Amino acid sequence: MTDPMSAFDGLAGRIADIERRFAGLRDDLAELSGTATDESGLVSATVDATGVLTGLTLAPAALRAGTEGVAELVLDAYRRARTAATEHVEKHTEGLDVTLGAGLTDLFGKPGDFSALGRLEETVARLGRLDDRLPGPPA
């Protein structure tokens, strides 16, 4: 029978390892962006990693296209910028799903495999019994 504390420490260690491996990823993704120009080169758009427009530049000549033309140029630049941002995110996170998935599968089993839940419940119960045997805090 496995010692409950060592099982708990092992679980905590594996979770901490996953957290360490992916620490800072949110900050890294927040700094990623994509910038692109429309086909004519008159409009430039910048979006963040989530596709939110963060910058837009129009050359004076773009205004000659009229309101509908400017709208088309802006949308073209925006779509291209989103594509560029998506490519940056994909490059930055390449293999992440495989690595994270493997780490979680090691911890909790494959989807639909509820034996890991049973092991977790058993470990929690053992820890509870162990805690019950420990002396209380000093008065």
Side-chain angles (χ1 to χ4, degrees):
M1 181 180 285
T2 304
D3 172 32
M5 289 306 287
S6 64
F8 183 74
D9 289 343
L11 177 63
R14 292 172 90 174
I15 290 173
D17 181 51
I18 290 172
E19 288 174 341
R20 263 192 310 278
R21 290 166 64 188
F22 302 109
L25 181 61
R26 183 179 308 192
D27 294 336
D28 291 346
L29 290 177
E31 294 176 12
L32 291 178
S33 65
T35 300
T37 58
D38 72 295
E39 191 172 313
S40 70
L42 297 175
V43 176
S44 174
T46 301
V47 299
D48 67 12
T50 64
V52 173
L53 185 66
T54 59
L56 185 65
T57 305
L58 285 78
L63 301 177
R64 292 188 203 127
T67 56
E68 288 183 21
V70 170
E72 289 177 18
L73 296 173
V74 168
L75 287 174
D76 183 32
Y78 173 73
R79 287 182 188 115
R80 291 170 186 252
R82 280 187 60 125
T83 299
T86 299
E87 289 171 356
H88 289 144
V89 169
E90 287 174 355
K91 182 178 179 182
H92 192 76
T93 60
E94 187 174 9
L96 179 67
D97 54 342
V98 173
T99 304
L100 180 58
L104 293 176
T105 299
D106 289 346
L107 283 175
F108 301 111
K110 294 183 179 182
D113 175 11
F114 297 105
S115 62
L117 181 58
R119 291 191 302 271
L120 180 60
E121 289 173 348
E122 179 183 340
T123 301
V124 169
R126 286 181 181 175
L127 288 172
R129 289 191 299 271
L130 180 63
D131 188 50
D132 291 341
R133 293 188 306 196
L134 295 174

